[in-house]
Amino acid sequence: MDLDVVNMFVIAGGTLAIPILAFVASFLLWPSALIRIYYWYWRRTLGMQVRYVRHEDYQFCYSFRGRPGHRPSILMLHGFSAHKDMWLSVVKFLPKNLHLVCVDMPGHEGTTRSSLDDLSIDGQVKRIHQFVECLKLNKKPFHLVGTSMGGHVAGVYAAYYPSDVSSLSLVCPAGLQYSTDNQFVQRLKELQEPEAVQKIPLIPSTPEEMSEMLQLCSYVRFKVPQQILQGLVDVRIPHNNFYRKLFLEIISEKSRYSLHQNMDKIKVPTLIIWGKQDQVLDVSGADMLATSINNCQVELLESCGHSVVMERPRKTAKLIVDFLASVHNTDDNKKLD
């Protein structure tokens, strides 16, 4: 081999070694930074832009793609202790001609966190309505999507502000009253003891607890490297006190069954999506909602737990697109199989 060619490979190898070593160092030493870069990359790839909007002294952070048109805009509400980027896996499979808005829920990520804020379900519904008004999203009725806590808020929102919402998708929503408690709810009832508040299963403080939470929420057993588990914990730990406060608020007597108490007031076409193997919120909640809401479609997913958005993003997107097509008679029913 020509000496000049050998020198070229040596130089190229040395040049590539620097970013490769930097990546490895980031993975091992700063996994939380790598996670943030991951979300930034996917937002950019999917064309989701981050913006901020203010209501008086309160700031909302949201991401969006597209512009309002003749089709309903879609507003997506994430679950407890998550953030707007949790929807990226679903956004990937949604048509690009839809106007999408994903907002950080009160106190989460880039949205204002205030010790004076009302974190009850009613309080969160009022905040989301402020956000909607700021964007003038309700200039035309929109499709509202929510999962878990976000589903709880979405359902109550549709009951309180029926003229804002054209249709509704609830993905394993919280807020229903069951005749019998599953194992997870039984564990929650032990949280009356002060020391038990530090052991809420959905608020991990160690990689081991993070792994247990993922197993609780997912039917699919993801093999997550220890460094990523540590990164996920590192990102959450500074917020855990807020998460504890929020959690105790949404399971309080004032909020726990808000959706159940208001589900008969939901008058818009509604899609219910639930994982059959949900260990957090029992799948029988789907029948409760279907019984109380007229024009309600139920889709139960096999081999799927509570984290429907993470486990079955393609299927979730297809169900939403098909539902919108059937309800709003659109012709953009994109094949996602």
Short mmCIF file of all heavy atoms in Angstrom, two decimals, residues 64-87:
data_model
loop_
_atom_site.label_atom_id
_atom_site.label_comp_id
_atom_site.label_asym_id
_atom_site.label_seq_id
_atom_site.Cartn_x
_atom_site.Cartn_y
_atom_site.Cartn_z
N PHE A 64 -44.47 21.70 18.34
CA PHE A 64 -45.55 21.63 17.34
C PHE A 64 -44.98 21.28 15.97
O PHE A 64 -43.79 21.43 15.70
CB PHE A 64 -46.30 22.96 17.26
CG PHE A 64 -45.57 24.03 16.50
CD1 PHE A 64 -45.85 24.29 15.16
CD2 PHE A 64 -44.57 24.77 17.10
CE1 PHE A 64 -45.17 25.26 14.46
CE2 PHE A 64 -43.87 25.75 16.41
CZ PHE A 64 -44.18 26.00 15.08
N ARG A 65 -45.86 20.82 15.12
CA ARG A 65 -45.53 20.58 13.71
C ARG A 65 -46.76 20.90 12.88
O ARG A 65 -47.89 20.54 13.25
CB ARG A 65 -45.11 19.13 13.49
CG ARG A 65 -44.61 18.86 12.06
CD ARG A 65 -44.08 17.44 11.93
NE ARG A 65 -45.16 16.45 11.86
CZ ARG A 65 -44.96 15.13 11.86
NH1 ARG A 65 -43.72 14.66 11.97
NH2 ARG A 65 -45.97 14.30 11.78
N GLY A 66 -46.57 21.59 11.77
CA GLY A 66 -47.67 21.93 10.89
C GLY A 66 -48.41 23.17 11.33
O GLY A 66 -48.05 23.83 12.31
N ARG A 67 -49.47 23.48 10.60
CA ARG A 67 -50.28 24.66 10.87
C ARG A 67 -51.76 24.28 10.90
O ARG A 67 -52.16 23.31 10.25
CB ARG A 67 -50.05 25.73 9.80
CG ARG A 67 -48.64 26.29 9.79
CD ARG A 67 -48.48 27.34 8.71
NE ARG A 67 -47.13 27.91 8.72
CZ ARG A 67 -46.73 28.89 9.51
NH1 ARG A 67 -47.60 29.42 10.38
NH2 ARG A 67 -45.49 29.35 9.47
N PRO A 68 -52.57 25.05 11.62
CA PRO A 68 -54.02 24.77 11.61
C PRO A 68 -54.57 24.83 10.20
O PRO A 68 -54.17 25.69 9.39
CB PRO A 68 -54.60 25.91 12.47
CG PRO A 68 -53.46 26.36 13.33
CD PRO A 68 -52.22 26.18 12.49
N GLY A 69 -55.46 23.90 9.88
CA GLY A 69 -56.07 23.86 8.55
C GLY A 69 -57.52 23.44 8.66
O GLY A 69 -58.15 23.64 9.70
N HIS A 70 -58.04 22.83 7.61
CA HIS A 70 -59.44 22.41 7.67
C HIS A 70 -59.62 21.14 8.50
O HIS A 70 -60.73 20.85 8.95
CB HIS A 70 -60.01 22.23 6.25
CG HIS A 70 -59.42 21.06 5.51
ND1 HIS A 70 -58.22 21.13 4.83
CD2 HIS A 70 -59.87 19.78 5.35
CE1 HIS A 70 -57.95 19.96 4.28
NE2 HIS A 70 -58.93 19.13 4.57
N ARG A 71 -58.55 20.40 8.71
CA ARG A 71 -58.61 19.23 9.60
C ARG A 71 -58.40 19.69 11.04
O ARG A 71 -57.68 20.66 11.29
CB ARG A 71 -57.53 18.21 9.23
CG ARG A 71 -57.66 17.67 7.81
CD ARG A 71 -56.54 16.70 7.50
NE ARG A 71 -56.60 16.22 6.13
CZ ARG A 71 -56.05 16.85 5.09
NH1 ARG A 71 -55.40 18.00 5.28
NH2 ARG A 71 -56.16 16.36 3.88
N PRO A 72 -58.97 19.00 12.01
CA PRO A 72 -58.79 19.40 13.42
C PRO A 72 -57.32 19.33 13.83
O PRO A 72 -56.60 18.40 13.45
CB PRO A 72 -59.62 18.38 14.19
CG PRO A 72 -60.59 17.82 13.21
CD PRO A 72 -59.88 17.84 11.89
N SER A 73 -56.87 20.32 14.58
CA SER A 73 -55.55 20.24 15.20
C SER A 73 -55.59 19.15 16.27
O SER A 73 -56.66 18.75 16.73
CB SER A 73 -55.20 21.59 15.86
OG SER A 73 -55.11 22.62 14.90
N ILE A 74 -54.42 18.65 16.65
CA ILE A 74 -54.33 17.60 17.67
C ILE A 74 -53.48 18.11 18.82
O ILE A 74 -52.31 18.47 18.64
CB ILE A 74 -53.72 16.30 17.10
CG1 ILE A 74 -54.57 15.78 15.94
CG2 ILE A 74 -53.59 15.25 18.19
CD1 ILE A 74 -54.02 14.52 15.29
N LEU A 75 -54.06 18.14 20.02
CA LEU A 75 -53.35 18.52 21.24
C LEU A 75 -53.11 17.27 22.06
O LEU A 75 -54.05 16.52 22.36
CB LEU A 75 -54.15 19.54 22.04
CG LEU A 75 -53.58 19.92 23.42
CD1 LEU A 75 -52.18 20.54 23.29
CD2 LEU A 75 -54.53 20.89 24.13
N MET A 76 -51.84 17.04 22.46
CA MET A 76 -51.46 15.80 23.14
C MET A 76 -50.95 16.10 24.55
O MET A 76 -50.04 16.92 24.72
CB MET A 76 -50.41 15.07 22.30
CG MET A 76 -50.80 14.95 20.83
SD MET A 76 -49.57 14.13 19.77
CE MET A 76 -50.09 12.42 19.96
N LEU A 77 -51.53 15.42 25.55
CA LEU A 77 -51.19 15.63 26.96
C LEU A 77 -50.49 14.38 27.50
O LEU A 77 -51.06 13.28 27.47
CB LEU A 77 -52.46 15.91 27.77
CG LEU A 77 -53.38 17.02 27.26
CD1 LEU A 77 -54.56 17.21 28.22
CD2 LEU A 77 -52.62 18.33 27.08
N HIS A 78 -49.28 14.56 28.00
CA HIS A 78 -48.48 13.42 28.48
C HIS A 78 -48.89 13.00 29.89
O HIS A 78 -49.71 13.65 30.56
CB HIS A 78 -46.99 13.77 28.44
CG HIS A 78 -46.59 14.89 29.35
ND1 HIS A 78 -46.51 14.74 30.72
CD2 HIS A 78 -46.23 16.18 29.10
CE1 HIS A 78 -46.11 15.88 31.27
NE2 HIS A 78 -45.96 16.77 30.31
N GLY A 79 -48.28 11.92 30.34
CA GLY A 79 -48.60 11.37 31.65
C GLY A 79 -47.73 11.91 32.78
O GLY A 79 -46.88 12.78 32.58
N PHE A 80 -47.95 11.37 33.95
CA PHE A 80 -47.26 11.78 35.17
C PHE A 80 -45.75 11.66 35.03
O PHE A 80 -45.24 10.63 34.58
CB PHE A 80 -47.76 10.91 36.34
CG PHE A 80 -46.98 11.07 37.60
CD1 PHE A 80 -47.20 12.15 38.43
CD2 PHE A 80 -46.02 10.13 37.98
CE1 PHE A 80 -46.48 12.31 39.60
CE2 PHE A 80 -45.30 10.27 39.14
CZ PHE A 80 -45.52 11.37 39.96
N SER A 81 -45.04 12.71 35.39
CA SER A 81 -43.57 12.78 35.43
C SER A 81 -42.91 12.60 34.06
O SER A 81 -41.70 12.41 33.99
CB SER A 81 -42.98 11.76 36.43
OG SER A 81 -42.98 10.45 35.92
N ALA A 82 -43.69 12.70 32.99
CA ALA A 82 -43.12 12.62 31.64
C ALA A 82 -42.96 14.03 31.09
O ALA A 82 -42.86 15.00 31.84
CB ALA A 82 -44.03 11.76 30.75
N HIS A 83 -42.95 14.19 29.78
CA HIS A 83 -42.83 15.49 29.14
C HIS A 83 -43.31 15.38 27.70
O HIS A 83 -43.64 14.28 27.23
CB HIS A 83 -41.39 16.02 29.21
CG HIS A 83 -40.36 15.01 28.81
ND1 HIS A 83 -40.14 14.65 27.50
CD2 HIS A 83 -39.50 14.27 29.55
CE1 HIS A 83 -39.19 13.74 27.44
NE2 HIS A 83 -38.78 13.48 28.68
N LYS A 84 -43.35 16.50 27.02
CA LYS A 84 -43.90 16.56 25.66
C LYS A 84 -43.22 15.58 24.71
O LYS A 84 -43.86 15.08 23.77
CB LYS A 84 -43.80 17.99 25.11
CG LYS A 84 -42.37 18.51 25.03
CD LYS A 84 -42.31 19.97 24.66
CE LYS A 84 -40.88 20.52 24.71
NZ LYS A 84 -40.27 20.41 26.05
N ASP A 85 -41.93 15.28 24.93
CA ASP A 85 -41.19 14.44 23.99
C ASP A 85 -41.59 12.98 24.05
O ASP A 85 -41.18 12.19 23.20
CB ASP A 85 -39.69 14.58 24.24
CG ASP A 85 -39.17 15.96 23.87
OD1 ASP A 85 -39.78 16.59 22.98
OD2 ASP A 85 -38.18 16.42 24.47
N MET A 86 -42.38 12.59 25.06
CA MET A 86 -42.81 11.19 25.12
C MET A 86 -43.67 10.83 23.92
O MET A 86 -43.80 9.66 23.55
CB MET A 86 -43.57 10.90 26.41
CG MET A 86 -44.97 11.50 26.47
SD MET A 86 -46.04 10.70 27.69
CE MET A 86 -46.38 9.16 26.83
N TRP A 87 -44.26 11.85 23.25
CA TRP A 87 -45.13 11.60 22.10
C TRP A 87 -44.35 11.43 20.80
O TRP A 87 -44.95 11.09 19.77
CB TRP A 87 -46.12 12.76 21.93
CG TRP A 87 -47.13 12.84 23.03
CD1 TRP A 87 -47.20 13.77 24.02
CD2 TRP A 87 -48.25 11.95 23.24
NE1 TRP A 87 -48.29 13.53 24.84
CE2 TRP A 87 -48.94 12.42 24.38
CE3 TRP A 87 -48.72 10.82 22.57
CZ2 TRP A 87 -50.08 11.78 24.87
CZ3 TRP A 87 -49.85 10.18 23.06
CH2 TRP A 87 -50.52 10.66 24.20
#
